[in-house]
Amino acid sequence: MARLHLTPGRERTVLRRHPWIFAGSVDRLEGRARPGDTVDVIAANGDVLARAAWSPESQIRARVWSFDGETAIDHAFFKRRVAESVARRATHPMLAGQDGQRLIHGESDGLPGVIADRYGPVVVLQLTSTGAEKWRDAIVAGLVQATGCSAVYERSDSDVRRLEGLEPRTGCAFGELPEGPLLISENGVRMEVDVVSGHKTGFYLDQRDNRKLTGELARGRRVLNCFCYTGGFSLQALAGGATSVLSIDSSGPALAAAARNLGHNPQLDAARAQWREDDVFEALRALRAEERSFDLIILDPPKFAPSAAHAERASRAYKDINLFGFRLLAPGGILMSYSCSGGISLEMFQKIVAGAASDARVDARILHRLSAAPDHPVGLSVPEGEYLKGLAVQIG
Ligand code: SAH
């Protein structure tokens, strides 16, 4: 096995159990390793600190599989890690029985570069690192064994693969997709999941608990759901007793799926739902010009800042929509505002929302601090994993 020598002092992050070894921390590679091969990570004093996957093309030159330098990194290792990750969900009272859930959340489940989401009988797998790619067969076999799923569909089409020198790959890695739409039930609402061409692996599972809270807050309220995608928040609001729900998205196919989702839930009063295909930035201004007002507004935009480099421009975009959100709220109204940008910290996000409230000249208080559901855990040693943050803020 090749040996990856760290520059003096750079062992500190590894000792803190952070799994990424950046190019700047690497002194030299002793021996030969192909992309994805396992290497021993060696401190300047000669201690073996970890075993990691070698990724020569990425700025993250290696990702740690184990902080125990003796662990064998083989098929059995991956089957065990996959089984443990699945078992953690199965024993969590809020997750057990959810037919849409994240089974493996990358670094936070000890499997850097591996995402696996379950939608009923289908598991969708996304591999984003050379190490994960090398152990693909073992990971697929582990998922089949641990879940008894009828298909593993691969959505390894994320842009980040390019940073690792990997080509995109999609298609069934095991079994076949069932005929017809794949439906999951979330908090009592049936939702269609398009695993082949939907966003991410097909659905925004991370917002499950926040959608539930939306349903609980929606009773008797006029709701505006911005960036609605396939209507997840909209349908929960209807189920919770909203008097009206206006949903906006710029994607025609997402709105078509939202309309089908409404059809999958005949228990909901479809007459209370309105859909608008529009740019949210423009629609918010138009609604303001029409002097509309709402009692509950959801802002769940796409990632405006994928990294810290985009933070400034993204901050302006967040400020803009939050300002208009506050302006459209009736007294006592609640704004549920999110950011899924890794480049915007919770502290920064709260400042942006506070700035928007003061520009809108409203007094506002935080009722709930929101984050991703517990099947998207954040490793304590990997705080970068905390990408989704939200605030439920009440005015007046
Ligand atoms: N809240 C959703 C997920 C939102 S994903 C859920 O719970 O499932 C972000 C959505 O924003 C996507 O559907 C995308 O089509 C939409 N979008 C991106 N930019 C937009 C814009 N400027 N105006 C309107 N919609 C936009």
Side-chain angles (χ1 to χ4, degrees):
M1 194 180 300
R3 289 159 63 88
L4 180 66
H5 293 271
L6 303 181
T7 40
R10 295 307 177 95
E11 68 284 351
R12 275 196 297 269
T13 59
V14 183
L15 290 170
R16 281 203 303 263
R17 302 179 83 80
H18 194 289
W20 297 345
I21 295 164
F22 284 93
S25 299
V26 174
D27 177 47
R28 70 199 151 90
L29 183 72
E30 177 191 348
R32 289 168 65 89
R34 285 161 304 168
D37 281 355
T38 304
V39 295
D40 275 333
V41 179
I42 317 288
N45 70 1
D47 287 352
V48 182
L49 302 177
R51 287 199 154 149
W54 175 239
S55 187
E57 288 197 28
S58 171
Q59 275 309 300
I60 302 176
R61 285 287 201 278
R63 292 170 196 255
V64 172
W65 291 129
S66 172
F67 291 97
D68 173 352
E70 313 245 296
T71 308
I73 307 300
D74 54 12
H75 268 252
F77 170 86
F78 288 95
K79 282 194 157 176
R80 201 166 61 238
R81 280 266 160 107
V82 169
E84 286 165 358
S85 195
V86 171
R88 278 194 287 275
R89 275 71 178 175
T91 52
H92 188 299
M94 286 164 69
L95 297 174
Q98 289 283 358
D99 49 6
Q101 63 173 265
R102 176 148 295 188
L103 298 175
I104 303 174
H105 191 49
E107 277 72 3
S108 301
D109 281 306
L111 289 167
V114 183
I115 294 292
D117 289 341
R118 173 179 202 144
Y119 301 109
V122 176
V123 172
V124 182
L125 176 66
Q126 184 166 81
L127 304 176
T128 57
S129 68
T130 54
E133 183 81 2
K134 179 184 166 89
W135 295 101
R136 176 173 178 265
D137 291 351
I139 294 164
V140 171
L143 281 167
V144 172
Q145 196 174 57
T147 64
C149 63
S150 64
V152 176
Y153 187 83
E154 189 169 358
R155 278 291 298 272
S156 296
D157 54 3
S158 157
D159 287 346
V160 296
R161 273 173 74 92
R162 259 187 282 134
L163 305 176
E164 298 264 323
L166 298 169
E167 295 293 318
R169 191 194 308 105
T170 57
C172 278
F174 168 80
E176 278 177 31
L177 289 178
E179 297 274 319
L182 188 58
L183 290 174
I184 60 165
S185 164
E186 187 192 73
N187 308 317
V189 167
R190 280 149 59 85
M191 298 292 292
E192 201 174 297
V193 179
D194 179 357
V195 301
V196 175
S197 48
H199 291 183
K200 306 221 277 186
T201 63
F203 196 63
Y204 290 87
L205 287 169
D206 49 0
Q207 289 281 26
R208 182 192 314 107
D209 293 353
N210 300 326
R211 284 192 286 258
K212 181 162 185 268
L213 177 64
T214 297
E216 286 160 355
L217 294 174
R219 175 159 301 282
R221 290 183 186 263
R222 296 162 298 167
V223 176
L224 172 65
N225 179 17
C226 297
F227 309 97
C228 69
Y229 189 46
T230 59
F233 282 101
S234 314
L235 269 57
Q236 292 294 335
L238 286 174
T243 53
S244 65
V245 181
L246 171 60
S247 308
I248 305 171
D249 202 283
S250 54
S251 157
L255 289 171
R260 287 196 300 276
N261 281 332
L262 196 52
H264 294 312
N265 291 276
Q267 78 281 14
L268 302 180
D269 182 357
R272 295 184 180 190
Q274 264 193 306
W275 308 93
R276 183 160 169 166
E277 185 175 334
D278 204 348
D279 176 82
V280 164
F281 293 84
E282 287 173 19
L284 289 175
R285 285 174 169 77
L287 290 168
R288 167 97 171 140
E290 293 162 25
E291 297 185 3
R292 297 279 298 271
S293 76
F294 300 89
D295 310 300
L296 177 61
I297 298 180
I298 300 131
L299 300 173
D300 184 26
K303 212 185 281 173
F304 290 150
S307 75
H310 307 81
E312 206 180 303
R313 232 184 63 198
S315 301
R316 281 200 291 278
Y318 285 116
K319 172 84 175 280
D320 203 35
I321 54 173
N322 281 278
L323 172 59
F324 271 86
F326 281 121
R327 285 186 174 154
L328 289 170
L329 271 185
I334 297 174
L335 180 70
M336 298 180 86
S337 182
Y338 299 93
S339 161
C340 60
S341 294
I344 302 272
S345 67
L346 173 60
E347 197 190 356
M348 201 188 287
F349 183 60
Q350 187 170 321
K351 274 193 188 142
I352 294 168
V353 175
S358 74
D359 283 10
R361 298 175 171 280
V362 293
D363 287 321
R365 55 200 67 80
I366 297 170
L367 303 185
H368 304 271
R369 296 174 180 280
L370 308 167
S371 61
D375 45 344
H376 299 61
V378 182
L380 264 180
S381 62
V382 206
E384 302 89 325
E386 179 103 60
Y387 65 101
L388 179 65
K389 62 262 324 154
L391 295 171
V393 173
Q394 187 168 38
I395 67 159

